[in-house]
Amino acid sequence: MTPNARTVLPTDLVALVSYDGRVYANQAMTRDRIGTQDSPHPLETALEQWFSFATGRHTCVSVKGATLRGLVSARKRGNKQAWEIDCLIDATEGDDSVLMSLLDQITAAAGRSGAMKLFVRLPAGSEIEREASRCGFLPYVREQAYRRAVEPDAAHASPAELRRREKADPYPVFRLYSSAVPPEVRRVEGMTFGEWVSAQESLGRTTQYVIEDGGRIRGWLRVAGDGDLGRFDLLAEHDVLDDLVEAALAKIANRQWAYALVPEYQPALASRLEALGFEAGDEYAVLSRRTVRPVKAGAKVPAVVQTTFG
């Protein structure tokens, strides 16, 4: 660990705002934060997001005197084998050595906790994406955020085939994922069922649904509510796409805003949302870096020499 970096302390909250009152943005975007960046109260939102030292995350800060120079925190995704960076603050304005040091530290910390991969979602084409790439994080997919005000009187209905996801569904859903997601993305997120499970992201308080036909899962929908925000994502075969979008809008009809994060390999979904009045928002790059996990060294044992006499 470099001399100017250490584990975060509660007293570091006072450094989240600079002397001139500036709030440094969290550059890392997780699925359960989509929409929160539109908050009209940036300081309040920042304090909620940066309180990660009290919630079981790995967190490190870089400080110089009483000035916060950088902060990074990471948390588990589906399980301990995959982690994601949920907070990344760079307050140095040009000194990339601080950010790269923090990224190295959080990668090592995730590896010591059993993680095989560390993910981060950053603004596409940004300087911080380029800096993360120089630190071993490889971009593997781009995503577009979409949002629309919910129309309370609009008629959206769920198809009759839609049902809650059950305990027996994850492997059939994985088969849908394997057929719907390009191999260059699956090579990073999960070529095996176990890797895919570990890389699953949270939308927040999520409810999951599937469309099943003849024992085959043809569509998978996840929906979450967060105050006035409704979020959803989905995977679907082409002819059930519209049904899942309609189901998503029906499930979040009690919210004020609908948000979806659409990867570049789902152009049909993006076109459908645009036709329904969704506006394209921020574009993100998702990056991944493999960690280094400690391995116990083999114990040395004395060799036994057997001699045979004729």
Side-chain angles (χ1 to χ4, degrees), residues 4 62-64 67-71 89-92 95 98 102:
N4 64 341
S62 176
V63 295
K64 185 176 183 180
T67 303
L68 177 72
R69 305 180 70 203
L71 183 150
I89 306 172
D90 180 12
T92 59
D95 183 2
V98 171
L102 287 170

Side-chain angles (χ1 to χ4, degrees), residues 19-34:
Y19 68 92
D20 58 356
R22 175 178 177 181
V23 178
Y24 287 98
N26 177 5
Q27 302 280 354
M29 179 59 67
T30 55
R31 283 188 179 272
D32 58 0
R33 278 192 57 232
I34 294 296

Side-chain angles (χ1 to χ4, degrees), residues 202-217:
S202 172
L203 278 177
R205 297 177 63 88
T206 307
T207 306
Q208 302 189 44
Y209 303 88
V210 297
I211 291 180
E212 182 182 9
D213 182 10
R216 188 174 90 252
I217 299 297

Side-chain angles (χ1 to χ4, degrees), residues 6 8-18 22 43-54 61 63 66 68 71 89:
R6 56 168 170 74
V8 71
L9 300 173
T11 52
D12 292 320
L13 285 176
V14 299
L16 291 173
V17 182
S18 66
R22 175 178 177 181
L43 178 57
E44 179 180 327
T45 302
L47 292 176
E48 291 176 357
Q49 294 166 1
W50 309 160
F51 208 73
S52 56
F53 64 84
V61 293
V63 295
L68 177 72
L71 183 150
I89 306 172

Side-chain angles (χ1 to χ4, degrees), residues 31 41 49 81 94 101 115 130 177 188 270 296:
R31 283 188 179 272
H41 307 292
Q49 294 166 1
Q81 293 187 357
S101 174
R130 290 187 285 271
Y177 167 84
V188 178
K296 292 184 179 179

Side-chain angles (χ1 to χ4, degrees), residues 107 115-118 136-137 187-188 195 288-292:
T107 303
M116 300 289 290
K117 300 173 185 176
L118 183 63
F137 283 84
R187 274 194 290 268
V188 178
E195 290 174 335
S288 175
R289 179 180 178 181
R290 288 196 172 271
T291 66
V292 178

